[in-house]
Amino acid sequence: MQRPGGDSGTGWKLHILRQLGHRDRQQHSAYRELVQSYNKLLEKSTFLKDLTEKIQSEPPPTSPGSHHDARSQSEAVAESGDIPALQKEMSAVQSANGELAFEACELKKQVQERDDQLKEQSTRVANLLDLAEGHQLQRQCLEEEVVLVVCANAELKERYDHLLSQRRLVEERLQETEVEQREILEDMTKKKALQAAQQNDLNERRKEEMWRRMLRKALRKTVSAEGDFVSNQSDDSHDTRSLEMSGSVELEKPLARQTRSQSLIAISPSRVLGVLKNFFDFRKEQPEFVGEDSWYRPSSVCVLCSLPTRALYSKEIHDSEIHAVRFSPNAKLVATGGADRLVKLWDVVGGQLQSHQVLEGSNGGITSIEFDAWGVQLLAASFDCSAHLWRLDTRSKESLTGHSKKVTAARFKMSPYRAVTCSMDRTIREWDLHKLACIRCVQVSSYCSDVVCSESYLVSGHHDKKIRFWDSRSERCIREVTLEEKVTSLYMDQDQIQMLSCSRDDTLSLIDMRMAHILRVFRADGFKCGCDWTKAILSPDTGYVMAGSADGTIFVWNAHTGALERSLNGEHSTSVNAVAWSMSGEYVVSVDRGRKAVLWSEY
């Protein structure tokens, strides 16, 4: 209820009292006139009633005196008028008296009703006064709370102003620091670019010198269409004669079905030097003993990859979905692994996959497969919280245990006796394969989905949308690349210059390993990453990018332009989990959730 009496505490009470007094005065004046009229009528009625009773009750006079009185009365009546007139007047008076009595009763009833209403209103006024008093107390409490809140707001405003000034100072410092960091980064980038250019020039000169020496040696050998070198069994005179032959390399008759990577006939003279380099690098004899600290850098023998166009072989080869596929370095074996806990080896013969060997011993599904540089060892990651190492020459098996959750990837490092694994337990572990012991453990902040190794650092892909570069000699993260969605796989080329990542935003990203920035992003209408372990690859000549989609289609992009070159469909009806490209560039194998493997080729 709003208080009309101003801000003082008693104003509203005075106002109510004034209103009640005004109402009493109005009603009292009306009742006073009514009561006065009623009293007058009542007095007249009583007088007439007494007079009538007195007249009716008095006997006629008998004595002379009474006769004299009666005579006097009759004379008085005669003087005042005749009796009928008086009787009429008395009847009229009695009738008016009755009406006045009825009106008096009605007025008395109305007075009683008004008294009842007045009592009700008085009770209501008392209740309202009590309610107003309660509201007044509540208002006082609220005013006290308002005062406290105003004081607290004033304190908060002071603190806010202080923090705002500090924030502005920190932002200014941050901007200055960012400017300094950009300048330092630009200087470092320029220096690194200059050093890289100088090192590249030096490397090119060294390579050219090495190729010249190797070319002089190659002039004394012949190359078959199968890629095997045959030394001429002759002395210096025969060497001299071989130099005079037309052409620096002697080719055998091509087979009925040649491929670009197996024959030098279709290669231009400008690429002969690179072909010989690749052949010689790949055909270097494997040392009888490789030390624990020895490092290798695998070399590709592929000159130019051919785009696959048709399926040569299609069959269900596992009892459940297949997660991983990998070609051996000599491109003669294919390894597949899946949820049935088996790793199966297949020979590629005449465009068919023929069973070669089955590797058992895993207690969980296989998630990834890796051959060493000579195809002698096979490393597989498993859902049984471990990685398994098979030696194909002795058919022995060892296990790397130490992870607490599923192992998502396992890779050989540049040394044949070092391996790296990553797991859902948010750790990356480095292993000594001689001792089968973990020699380093890196704790990461997110679930690791894949890992690759270079000479100087490890690279891991995570579900927090980041690719992290780790120093191979410490546990320090030296740089990060952030993508739009979580990473499903990583693939690094043979020269360790570029890396391909696949992520759940249905894109592939080609990343420069030296500068750790994205060179190109590959997308296509209809391409959809099927699961959290979908694997994408680069072709051996780094000219193409390939990945399987959730609908069973295989997409191939041009790595240099980003354009979609080809899409292969019709064979897979479920999501393609992984693809592999042979080192010769001739074959591609794809595997899917429906237990099927498909062998693709250009011919």
Side-chain angles (χ1 to χ4, degrees):
M1 183 177 74
Q2 186 177 2
R3 176 165 50 84
D7 295 333
S8 62
T10 59
W12 59 277
K13 295 181 180 179
L14 296 175
H15 177 74
I16 291 175
L17 292 174
R18 283 196 295 271
Q19 292 291 332
L20 291 174
H22 179 67
R23 189 191 65 179
D24 290 341
R25 285 192 298 271
Q26 289 180 345
Q27 293 180 357
H28 181 71
S29 60
Y31 280 113
R32 184 176 56 190
E33 294 176 358
L34 182 63
V35 169
Q36 289 176 358
S37 300
Y38 172 75
N39 291 332
K40 289 180 180 180
L41 291 174
L42 189 61
E43 289 175 358
K44 289 181 179 181
S45 175
T46 303
F47 173 76
L48 291 174
K49 183 179 180 181
D50 293 339
L51 181 61
T52 302
E53 291 177 353
K54 185 177 180 180
I55 291 174
Q56 292 178 355
S57 61
E58 285 183 357
T62 56
S63 60
S66 60
H67 180 72
H68 177 76
D69 293 336
R71 186 179 178 180
S72 298
Q73 185 175 3
S74 61
E75 290 178 357
V77 168
E79 291 178 359
S80 58
D82 52 359
I83 294 174
L86 289 175
Q87 288 180 349
K88 289 181 181 179
E89 185 177 355
M90 288 180 63
S91 299
V93 170
Q94 288 178 355
S95 176
N97 187 18
E99 292 177 359
L100 290 175
F102 179 77
E103 290 180 1
C105 292
E106 292 294 330
L107 292 175
K108 186 176 181 180
K109 186 185 293 184
Q110 291 180 4
V111 168
Q112 186 66 31
E113 291 176 356
R114 296 291 177 89
D115 289 339
D116 294 339
Q117 292 179 0
L118 183 61
K119 289 180 181 179
E120 291 178 359
Q121 290 180 357
S122 299
T123 305
R124 185 180 177 186
V125 167
N127 294 333
L128 291 175
L129 289 174
D130 295 337
L131 183 62
E133 186 176 358
H135 288 170
Q136 182 67 19
L137 295 175
Q138 185 178 2
R139 178 178 176 277
Q140 292 176 359
C141 295
L142 292 175
E143 287 179 350
E144 293 176 356
E145 293 180 1
V146 167
V147 171
L148 295 176
V149 170
V150 169
C151 295
N153 288 339
E155 294 178 357
L156 290 175
K157 184 65 169 58
E158 292 178 359
R159 290 178 58 189
Y160 171 77
D161 294 337
H162 180 65
L163 292 175
L164 184 61
S165 61
Q166 289 184 345
R167 176 178 174 272
R168 290 173 179 171
L169 293 175
V170 171
E171 285 182 348
E172 292 176 358
R173 294 175 186 173
L174 178 61
Q175 291 177 358
E176 294 175 357
T177 305
E178 288 178 349
V179 172
E180 293 177 359
Q181 288 180 352
R182 282 197 295 269
E183 293 176 354
I184 294 173
L185 183 60
E186 291 176 359
D187 294 339
M188 291 178 62
T189 304
K190 291 179 182 178
K191 291 179 181 179
K192 290 290 184 182
L194 181 60
Q195 292 176 1
Q198 294 174 354
Q199 187 66 33
N200 289 337
D201 293 339
L202 180 60
N203 291 339
E204 289 297 331
R205 289 196 296 270
R206 289 177 179 175
K207 287 180 182 179
E208 289 177 1
E209 184 63 28
M210 181 183 65
W211 293 348
R212 290 193 189 97
R213 291 197 303 268
M214 295 174 64
L215 182 59
R216 286 195 293 269
K217 294 180 182 179
L219 294 177
R220 300 169 186 173
K221 300 180 180 180
T222 60
V223 181
S224 70
E226 295 296 329
D228 297 329
F229 285 88
V230 182
S231 299
N232 293 326
Q233 305 296 331
S234 61
D235 54 9
D236 295 339
S237 61
H238 291 84
D239 294 338
T240 305
R241 185 178 59 188
S242 64
L243 288 172
E244 296 173 354
M245 296 174 63
S246 60
S248 59
V249 187
E250 200 175 282
L251 301 175
E252 292 183 0
K253 239 182 196 181
L255 296 178
R257 205 178 78 183
Q258 297 174 345
T259 63
R260 298 186 213 177
S261 59
Q262 290 179 330
S263 175
L264 300 179
I265 295 175
I267 303 175
S268 62
S270 63
R271 304 199 61 176
V272 172
L273 192 60
V275 174
L276 292 175
K277 171 200 175 275
N278 287 332
F279 272 114
F280 277 108
D281 287 343
F282 181 73
R283 298 292 298 182
K284 282 181 182 177
E285 294 182 0
Q286 180 180 345
E288 296 180 1
F289 175 80
V290 182
E292 194 170 313
D293 296 330
S294 300
W295 293 81
Y296 64 85
R297 186 172 178 176
S299 298
S300 171
V301 298
C302 181
V303 178
L304 187 64
C305 284
S306 57
L307 279 176
T309 57
R310 68 187 187 93
L312 302 179
Y313 177 85
S314 177
K315 186 179 179 181
E316 292 184 359
I317 60 174
H318 280 260
D319 295 333
S320 59
E321 68 175 290
I322 309 173
H323 295 154
V325 61
R326 182 76 66 170
F327 270 98
S328 65
N330 60 9
K332 294 181 180 179
L333 282 180
V334 178
T336 59
D340 57 0
R341 307 178 183 180
L342 298 177
V343 175
K344 295 186 178 183
L345 301 179
W346 308 85
D347 290 316
V348 182
V349 179
Q352 302 288 323
L353 295 181
Q354 297 182 1
S355 179
H356 176 79
Q357 187 178 352
V358 178
L359 304 178
E360 300 178 346
S362 174
N363 295 320
I366 303 298
T367 58
S368 74
I369 297 173
E370 178 89 345
F371 283 97
D372 69 352
W374 296 280
V376 178
Q377 300 182 101
L378 185 144
L379 185 63
S382 173
F383 281 172
D384 61 0
C385 307
S386 61
H388 304 284
L389 177 67
W390 286 274
R391 291 181 173 86
L392 304 182
D393 51 352
T394 62
R395 297 195 176 185
S396 61
K397 173 187 169 295
E398 303 291 348
S399 296
L400 307 177
T401 59
H403 287 287
S404 60
K405 292 185 179 180
K406 298 176 182 179
V407 179
T408 54
R411 308 290 183 199
F412 285 103
K413 289 192 69 175
M414 295 297 102
S415 169
Y417 301 109
R418 291 285 188 272
V420 176
T421 59
C422 62
S423 170
M424 293 179 67
D425 62 3
R426 299 183 180 183
T427 61
I428 301 172
R429 294 177 181 266
E430 184 176 347
W431 303 85
D432 185 338
L433 299 182
H434 272 316
K435 301 177 182 179
L436 299 176
C438 178
I439 59 177
R440 187 163 69 104
C441 180
V442 179
Q443 298 287 338
V444 294
S445 58
S446 176
Y447 158 38
C448 184
S449 57
D450 204 353
V451 64
V452 293
C453 309
S454 70
E455 293 178 356
S456 56
Y457 40 72
L458 307 176
V459 185
S460 57
H462 300 268
H463 272 210
D464 62 356
K465 310 176 187 179
K466 291 185 179 180
I467 299 175
R468 293 180 170 89
F469 292 71
W470 306 88
D471 191 334
S472 60
R473 294 164 293 183
S474 66
E475 300 180 7
R476 185 172 61 91
C477 179
I478 56 179
R479 63 186 68 170
E480 291 181 351
V481 176
T482 303
L483 302 180
E484 295 296 328
E485 268 297 340
K486 54 188 175 184
V487 182
T488 64
S489 71
L490 299 175
Y491 188 90
M492 186 170 59
D493 67 354
Q494 297 294 325
D495 296 328
Q496 302 175 11
I497 297 175
Q498 295 177 342
M499 180 178 65
L500 180 69
S501 71
C502 180
S503 55
R504 289 291 280 172
D505 60 346
D506 305 328
T507 61
L508 309 179
S509 301
L510 189 63
I511 300 172
D512 187 343
M513 296 284 287
R514 294 167 295 187
M515 304 301 294
H517 71 271
I518 298 175
L519 297 174
R520 195 166 289 105
V521 177
F522 303 91
R523 296 184 177 89
D525 294 337
F527 175 73
K528 183 175 179 60
C529 187
C531 60
D532 288 347
W533 53 85
T534 298
K535 297 174 176 61
I537 61 169
L538 281 166
S539 63
D541 63 351
T542 67
Y544 301 103
V545 171
M546 178 180 289
S549 177
D551 62 355
T553 305
I554 299 173
F555 291 83
V556 185
W557 291 269
N558 189 306
H560 304 297
T561 63
L564 181 65
E565 292 283 348
R566 188 165 298 170
S567 60
L568 308 174
N569 51 27
E571 295 295 331
H572 294 285
S573 58
T574 58
S575 174
V576 177
N577 290 335
V579 289
W581 210 316
S582 66
M583 296 299 296
S584 63
E586 180 182 5
Y587 296 110
V588 170
V589 174
S590 57
V591 294
D592 63 15
R593 282 189 171 183
R595 303 174 292 181
K596 182 184 289 187
V598 180
L599 179 66
W600 306 85
S601 179
E602 182 182 12
Y603 303 102

